[in-house]
């Protein structure tokens, strides 16, 4: 944390705060946010450019990505000229554990540390990577654990965790897989510290038990803490971004609409490029009470709010659909009710419990006209606006992404496969707001009739000024990969089979010509 000098009055206030009985209670849990001295750097900035921190990371990452991409291109065909190479990103869609596992296979097929196939080495050439919902689960597990190999995560964490699945109430309430009292203490401690607790808190805590190493399901892991991971500090990995949607509850909405504000979480910043917000704040100080970009109480900020489990739970929060109070009952047949029972240990159930709540860092900020009068932001699953691929961050003109590999594991069809709905909706929305980097995407009837949902497809090849998109849909090559999004438990054979199928998505079922085709598209 970056503590800077403060006035005597502010220091006195902090001293009183830190000495309070609440803080004594917080020593029981590393989950609860707490007060800290604000940094000297601005807490809020306009969304007119990349942050200096992200720009510095990309500046240092680019030479390594260029080296990795050049090595793969040369391996694929020695005739490729590698003096000038594009900036390449990768996106992973929502779709629960189905999305996590298929994405894991694709990344394994791209990672030269973890596979020896024609596409091995593409990962080393990536500059950016994004995920939402289930794709955000993968990215959080990958980045939060310092980017180990997929094989390492599979055998060391996921196989057992997905078989034990603490998100099944019948497991959580009847088996000794997690310490229920620890999770309850986390929830109560956050509320006691004066911060809002919702269903996303226990949800994120239980997800973390499956996705993160460490005591109490990686309770101490923070999104801003990723900046200390060795692979990040060495710029060996793509810059990670997780997305979520704003819900305009202040306008009577219960659920994100197609034009919902797209928010980004990354290690340095949280915010949105969208008109009506158009601002970013420092991730480390999420949870701070700000007015017009300044601490409401001079010098006093919040840290520890950016718990990584809470962020990945935010991106996958689908509990807002009912727009009603969820009964607080330990019910072996209902995950929402069981989660609400944990929340009820902190406060009485409320409608707002279905959202992820963040104290609004853009309160009173003139540029953020849509939310400037709101004290809190309510966020939900990043794919609920039928834009289930986290493409939005990379079609902003401020990010110079030339090529984007879009791994779509959405459940658009009755058998849980993508049909182009999500990427087409993003195209329509981009057209509405004038984001010209999004290439033309055909509508669903054309998408399906031409079989674009069954194979890799390149969009934007002949469109000047757009980002080339390489669409990689979920296809059941070796395993029935159209598993329901709501499926929360996989045995070891299922986990391994899903990931192996993802490898085949990445290699297009082992097509010997695909690596050269992919390389040509990237170039």
């Amino acid at each position: 944390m970056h503590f800077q000098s403060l006035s005597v009055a502010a220091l006195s206030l902090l001293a009183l705060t830190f000495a309070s009985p609440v803080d004594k209670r917080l020593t029981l849990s590393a989950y609860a946010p707490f007060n800290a001295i604000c940094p000297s750097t601005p807490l809020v900035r306009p969304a007119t450019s990349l942050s200096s921190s992200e720009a510095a990371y990309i500046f240092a990452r680019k030479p390594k990505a260029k080296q990795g991409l050049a090595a793969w291109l040369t391996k694929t065909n020695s005739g490729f000229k590698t003096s000038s190479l594009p900036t390449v990103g990768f996106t992973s869609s929502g779709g629960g554990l189905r999305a996590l596992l298929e994405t894991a296979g694709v990344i394994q097929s791209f990672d030269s540390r973890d596979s020896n196939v024609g596409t091995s080495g593409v990962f080393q050439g990536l500059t950016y990577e994004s995920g939402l919902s289930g794709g955000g689960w993968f990215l959080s597990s990958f980045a939060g654990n310092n980017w180990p190999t997929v094989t390492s995560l599979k055998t060391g964490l996921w196989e057992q965790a997905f078989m034990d699945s603490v998100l099944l109430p019948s497991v959580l309430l009847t088996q000794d897989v997690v310490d229920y009292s620890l999770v309850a203490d986390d929830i109560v401690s956050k509320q006691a510290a004066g911060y809002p607790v919702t269903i996303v808190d226990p949800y994120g805590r239980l997800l973390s038990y499956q996705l993160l190493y460490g005591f109490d399901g990686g309770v101490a892991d923070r999104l801003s803490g990723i900046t200390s991971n060795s692979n990040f500090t060495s710029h060996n990995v793509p810059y990670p971004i997780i997305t979520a949607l704003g819900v305009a509850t202040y306008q009577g909405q219960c659920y994100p609409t197609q034009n919902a504000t797209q928010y980004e979480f990354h290690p340095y910043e949280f915010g949105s490029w969208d008109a009506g917000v158009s601002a970013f704040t420092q991730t480390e100080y999420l949870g701070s009470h700000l007015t017009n970009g300044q601490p409401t109480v001079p010098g006093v900020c919040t840290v520890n709010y950016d718990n990584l489990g809470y962020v990945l739970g935010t991106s996958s929060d689908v509990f807002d659909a009912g727009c009603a109070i969820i009964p607080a009952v330990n019910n072996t047949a209902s995950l929402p009710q069981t989660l609400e029972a944990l929340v009820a240990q902190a406060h009485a159930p409320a409608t707002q419990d279905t959202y992820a709540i963040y104290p609004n860092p853009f309160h009173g900020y003139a540029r953020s006209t849509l939310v400037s009068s709101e004290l809190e932001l309510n966020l939900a699953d990043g794919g609920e606006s039928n834009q289930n691929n986290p493409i939005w961050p990379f079609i902003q003109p401020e990010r110079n992404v030339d090529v984007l590999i879009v791994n779509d594991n959405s459940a658009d069809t009755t058998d849980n496969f993508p049909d182009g709905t999500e990427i087409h909706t993003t195209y329509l929305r981009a057209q509405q707001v004038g984001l010209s980097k999004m290439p033309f995407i055909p509508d669903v009837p054309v998408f399906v009739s031409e079989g674009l949902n069954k194979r890799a497809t390149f969009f934007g090849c002949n469109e000047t000024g757009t980002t080339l998109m390489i669409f990689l849909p979920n296809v059941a090559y070796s395993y029935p990969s159209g598993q329901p999004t709501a499926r929360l438990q996989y045995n070891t054979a299922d986990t391994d089979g899903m990931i192996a199928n993802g490898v085949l998505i990445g290699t297009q079922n082992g097509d010997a010509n695909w690596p050269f085709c992919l390389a040509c598209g990237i170039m």
Side-chain angles (χ1 to χ4, degrees), residues 121-447:
V122 173
F123 174 75
Q124 279 66 34
L126 299 178
T127 300
Y128 282 101
E129 182 176 5
S130 68
L132 69 79
S133 201
W137 295 355
F138 169 78
L139 184 53
S140 298
S141 192
F142 201 33
N145 293 307
N146 195 24
W147 288 271
T149 63
V150 166
T151 295
S152 171
L153 284 170
K154 179 183 71 172
T155 59
L157 182 60
W158 293 344
E159 286 179 340
Q160 189 66 49
F162 297 161
M163 184 162 57
D164 290 340
S165 190
V166 294
L167 285 176
L168 288 177
S170 58
V171 173
L172 176 65
L173 298 174
T174 64
Q175 299 180 30
D176 189 23
V177 178
V178 302
D179 190 332
Y180 186 93
S181 64
L182 279 178
V183 176
D185 183 64
D186 294 337
I187 307 310
V188 172
S189 293
K190 182 176 179 180
Q191 182 77 29
Y195 298 92
V197 168
T198 76
I199 200 170
V200 177
D201 288 279
Y203 180 52
R205 291 277 48 251
L206 295 175
L207 281 168
S208 296
Y209 271 87
Q210 301 181 82
L211 303 176
L212 301 172
Y213 290 108
F215 171 73
D216 189 17
V219 67
D221 288 350
R222 299 289 175 265
L223 178 58
S224 59
I226 287 173
T227 60
S228 298
N229 287 351
S230 62
N231 272 316
F232 190 91
T233 59
S234 301
H235 308 100
N236 291 331
V237 290
Y239 189 76
I241 300 174
I242 296 172
T243 65
L245 294 174
V247 184
T249 53
Y250 47 86
Q251 295 178 348
Q253 295 177 6
C254 298
Y255 193 81
T257 60
Q258 186 172 314
N259 64 349
T261 301
Q262 297 253 8
Y263 286 96
E264 300 178 3
F265 293 88
H266 28 108
Y268 291 121
E269 289 195 312
F270 162 81
S272 177
W273 301 98
D274 291 1
V277 176
S278 189
F280 286 90
T281 189
Q282 294 186 47
T283 300
E284 183 177 0
Y285 297 98
L286 267 177
S288 298
H289 295 283
L290 307 178
T291 302
N292 193 24
Q294 300 296 321
T296 304
V297 177
V300 180
C301 283
T302 294
V303 294
N304 234 36
Y305 203 95
D306 63 321
N307 177 274
L308 185 54
Y310 189 64
V311 172
L312 66 92
T314 299
S315 181
S316 57
D317 172 22
V318 294
F319 302 108
D320 56 322
C323 198
I325 295 176
I326 297 173
V329 180
N330 279 324
N331 183 344
T332 57
S334 172
L335 175 61
Q337 291 183 16
T338 300
L339 294 175
E340 189 64 43
L342 277 162
V343 173
Q345 297 194 33
H347 66 72
T351 304
Q352 202 173 18
D353 289 347
T354 59
Y355 307 106
I357 296 178
Y358 291 80
N360 182 14
F362 314 117
H363 173 67
Y365 193 62
R367 187 180 182 88
S368 303
T369 54
L370 184 65
V371 298
S372 62
S373 62
E374 304 305 315
L375 293 175
E376 295 176 336
L377 299 177
N378 292 333
L379 273 58
D381 188 291
E384 287 188 330
S385 64
N386 286 330
Q387 298 181 65
N388 201 32
N389 297 293
I391 293 169
W392 207 251
F394 305 127
I395 55 175
Q396 306 301 323
E398 291 79 7
R399 285 200 181 98
N400 296 313
V401 176
D402 304 301
V403 179
L404 193 62
I405 301 171
V406 180
N407 176 215
D408 192 352
N409 300 297
S410 303
D412 299 324
T413 65
T414 56
D415 55 351
N416 304 311
F417 288 97
D419 66 5
T421 294
E422 314 300 324
I423 192 169
H424 178 67
T425 302
T426 299
Y427 164 70
L428 295 176
R429 179 62 181 150
Q431 291 289 299
Q432 289 175 349
V433 299
L435 289 175
S436 59
K437 291 181 69 177
M438 184 72 192
F440 171 75
I441 306 293
D443 61 20
V444 172
V446 172
F447 213 98

